[in-house]
Amino acid sequence: MKDLRGKLSRSIRNKEMVLLVCNCRVDYSGRAVSALGWGDRLVLIKPDHTVLVHKPDGRNPVNWMAEGSNIEVEESDGSLIIICDSVNPREHMVVTVRKVYSLESNKLKDGEVLVSAGSEADMARMIYENPSLIGESFKPVRLEEQTKHGFIDVLGAEGSVLTVVECKRYKAGLGAVQQLRRYVERLQKSKGVMKVNGVVAAPSITKNAMNMLGDWGYRFVVVEPPMYLDLDKSEQRRLEDY
Amino acid sequence: MKDLRGKLSRSIRNKEMVLLVCNCRVDYSGRAVSALGWGDRLVLIKPDHTVLVHKPDGRNPVNWMAEGSNIEVEESDGSLIIICDSVNPREHMVVTVRKVYSLESNKLKDGEVLVSAGSEADMARMIYENPSLIGESFKPVRLEEQTKHGFIDVLGAEGSVLTVVECKRYKAGLGAVQQLRRYVERLQKSKGVMKVNGVVAAPSITKNAMNMLGDWGYRFVVVEPPMYLDLDKSEQRRLEDY
DNA sequence: ACACCAAGCAGCAAT
DNA sequence: ATTGCTGTTTGGTGT
């Protein structure tokens, strides 16, 4: 274990990406507490001092420390002990390694950034630019207004009545209707007007949410999120082209 | 690349955990669309066919496929091409690898499951068992009741008045108050009673949420989530003992 | 720093 | 399978 400890410490200090496949146990305390008994896992230490412990299944790490953690490697009783600490939030994770299957590290270079589309913001933009998606008389006024007390996706008017549009890129649930209700009520209060229209714009809506929508006199409009990448900032290619 | 393709395919078929450190690009389409240019990354393929692409920083994978995806490995123009597909939701991810820094795989065995404490459910249980945390006259009735129209953390009574308690393990925000409001209103409607008490139980609460709470006649009670593990199911040890 | 909200949220439980 | 909701949510943005 001694040389392993040295190699590990050196790789971390050297800002390499470390892959440690091992049998280990993990103890965590901080925002919660947890214990994980002995088993085979991947311990991934990134150059930014993010530490991830992955079980052989699932998308998420079973334990982790956010970037910037302090990492110490010790050796005791033939075990490798990886101690991670962070302040704000104060967190502590200890990985005790009793068997190493493989340890390797690489210096990685990656300057690229993910380009993606299909978010709720993209949807809001699409509605702003194509107001008829909401209704014949809908005239958009403001896009993605983040105010002190909420975030209105699209604000517009139908005739002389203000209309709040809440977008959801997936099936709208109770939460979406509640959000809409909050924004509508705030507008009514702040503007001192009785009537404000509320619209949920989403590809679909759950039954309960639809009922709640009706109870409050709001309406639902089917809108699909736009799925194309703006790769060249000029030429947009539809998803299906790929 | 040819032998690499064989090794990779074999490891995947063999349900091993595959670690591929490489220079690659990634294209994804499904719930959204994304493109990621050339760079050095870790491609992690788990036995359950979860696929994760990790950049050298950050906690989350930059691209991924959920467990159970179909994975094909091809070779073209000296590049390794990993094609992942899933139905429901229909998703597609292609990792094009032009340079392999390392490729290894291991058969992992991990039967352990994470034991943790400090969740909202733990909080609700604590309140149920220590009702005075909410108030002198609070008598708990039901714990974590999932009704058709919402999920009530703790339901109780103060005198002859029903009381709904909404727990948050962290600082309570507007969402918590709205949730509470929905449950209270539903109860009032279904039971046909005028008065139902509402309580937000959390370590702290935001200013806006506190105001909203007052507007609706609800109250806030300071409660910290319980941070101890029930390791033996009999003997509880406090976090600080470790 | 705080507050609020979206996420290709993921994962879980109950319907 | 759908619905609703928590999470050591993470991550981003505006105040």
Side-chain angles (χ1 to χ4, degrees), chain B residues 84-104:
Chain B
C84 311
D85 285 284
S86 83
V87 236
N88 208 328
R90 193 161 139 46
E91 291 183 295
H92 185 67
M93 182 176 79
V94 179
V95 182
T96 309
V97 180
R98 64 177 177 184
K99 205 155 139 196
V100 173
Y101 302 122
S102 93
L103 168 62
E104 63 160 292

Side-chain angles (χ1 to χ4, degrees), chain B residues 40-69:
Chain B
D40 296 339
R41 284 129 207 169
L42 163 69
V43 179
L44 172 58
I45 305 176
K46 293 192 177 187
D48 68 347
H49 281 208
T50 301
V51 184
L52 307 173
V53 181
H54 270 278
K55 284 169 67 81
D57 52 63
R59 198 203 86 117
N60 284 328
V62 62
N63 282 112
W64 71 93
M65 292 289 283
E67 64 166 325
S69 70

